[in-house]
Amino acid sequence: MNAARNPYFTTVSGREIDLVNPSPADIAFEDLAHHLAHNTRFGGACAVTYTVAQHLVLGADLCSAAAKPYFLAHDAHEGFAGDDTTPKKRAFPIVIHEMLGGDKAQPTEVTFFKQLVRKAFDEFETRCMRAVHLAAGLEWPVPPIIEAEVKHVDRVMLLTEWKALMPGKVPEPYRFLNGEEIKPKSTREVPIGQWTFENAKRLFLIACVDHLPIYAHRKGKS
């Protein structure tokens, strides 16, 4: 009898990515460009269609030369793994608490399952991000100084995008990172607007060719 196969994601070109143990060899940025140009930020709640591809291109423009390729890669796994939004991640432990009986549940049992779910989310994302970074020819784990810059720019982008595209005020926790209050950019500094699917896909792939080590041999070529 054949062993059960891990669940996999089929890309636009027909590649199959193992979602339990994704391999860098199965990841193509041409595929991710297509997927990310369809994937929307904030679960699709923006006033206009605003995609992860656009987020990555505009955010990379705010980074230092060393951090640009890492910013392009940091959310690229969402092209095959999807985006589990922060509110969704925060909801899961509450659901678990209720499923175990709420305040009547044993505190140790609730704590155990909450921690297990958080660890599973983190481990899944780490495996996917590792595969994407290695496929891009980038260092993994990400060097701490670059990781800090990517996280900072990502938060700046979130606040800038929210201000331009989302209803209401930004949730209070998003305004701070490591105790520092983060300020959004103006739309003059970050030209947020609606890109067509074709343009988002094209500009993301151009940015990948310009900045990712995996494409170094193509620089300067048409």
Side-chain angles (χ1 to χ4, degrees), residues 185-205:
K185 298 286 187 181
S186 70
T187 51
R188 183 175 60 256
E189 296 170 289
V190 181
I192 292 175
Q194 182 164 328
W195 292 2
T196 64
F197 160 74
E198 291 80 7
N199 209 32
K201 177 180 177 179
R202 180 180 65 84
L203 291 176
F204 176 74
L205 193 53

Side-chain angles (χ1 to χ4, degrees), residues 105-162:
Q106 293 294 324
T108 54
E109 187 179 24
V110 172
T111 299
F112 171 76
F113 281 105
K114 282 184 176 180
Q115 291 177 344
L116 188 63
V117 168
R118 289 194 186 101
K119 287 180 180 179
F121 268 117
D122 291 344
E123 176 64 19
F124 176 73
E125 188 169 60
T126 296
R127 292 184 185 192
C128 294
M129 291 181 71
R130 175 186 179 276
V132 166
H133 281 70
L134 294 180
L138 296 171
E139 187 175 346
W140 184 267
V142 177
I145 191 169
I146 291 179
E147 183 179 30
E149 180 179 349
V150 168
K151 287 183 177 180
H152 178 85
V153 172
D154 195 39
R155 187 59 58 87
V156 170
M157 285 297 297
L158 184 151
L159 296 177
T160 304
E161 292 159 351
W162 191 289

Side-chain angles (χ1 to χ4, degrees), residues 18-208:
D18 182 335
L19 292 181
V20 177
N21 295 296
S23 169
D26 295 329
I27 294 170
F29 280 84
E30 290 83 358
D31 287 350
L32 296 185
H34 180 95
H35 302 165
L36 294 169
H38 279 298
N39 290 8
T40 54
R41 289 277 284 168
F42 303 107
C46 298
V48 300
T49 300
Y50 182 80
T51 67
V52 178
Q54 186 172 353
H55 163 77
L56 295 176
V57 171
L58 294 178
D61 285 343
L62 299 179
C63 293
S64 66
K68 282 182 189 295
Y70 288 90
F71 194 91
L72 287 169
H74 88 279
D75 278 342
H77 65 283
E78 293 179 10
F80 64 88
D83 175 25
D84 287 308
T85 63
T86 298
K88 178 180 175 181
K89 291 179 181 178
R90 290 175 176 170
F92 264 76
I94 297 172
V95 171
I96 289 171
H97 184 265
E98 292 179 353
M99 289 176 66
L100 293 174
D103 293 337
K104 298 179 181 179
Q106 293 294 324
T108 54
E109 187 179 24
V110 172
T111 299
F112 171 76
F113 281 105
K114 282 184 176 180
Q115 291 177 344
L116 188 63
V117 168
R118 289 194 186 101
K119 287 180 180 179
F121 268 117
D122 291 344
E123 176 64 19
F124 176 73
E125 188 169 60
T126 296
R127 292 184 185 192
C128 294
M129 291 181 71
R130 175 186 179 276
V132 166
H133 281 70
L134 294 180
L138 296 171
E139 187 175 346
W140 184 267
V142 177
I145 191 169
I146 291 179
E147 183 179 30
E149 180 179 349
V150 168
K151 287 183 177 180
H152 178 85
V153 172
D154 195 39
R155 187 59 58 87
V156 170
M157 285 297 297
L158 184 151
L159 296 177
T160 304
E161 292 159 351
W162 191 289
K163 181 180 178 182
L165 301 169
M166 292 289 285
K169 294 182 178 180
V170 64
E172 189 72 12
Y174 295 169
R175 292 177 47 224
F176 297 89
L177 181 65
N178 299 327
E180 176 191 359
E181 184 172 7
I182 307 299
K183 299 294 185 181
K185 298 286 187 181
S186 70
T187 51
R188 183 175 60 256
E189 296 170 289
V190 181
I192 292 175
Q194 182 164 328
W195 292 2
T196 64
F197 160 74
E198 291 80 7
N199 209 32
K201 177 180 177 179
R202 180 180 65 84
L203 291 176
F204 176 74
L205 193 53
I206 287 174
C208 288

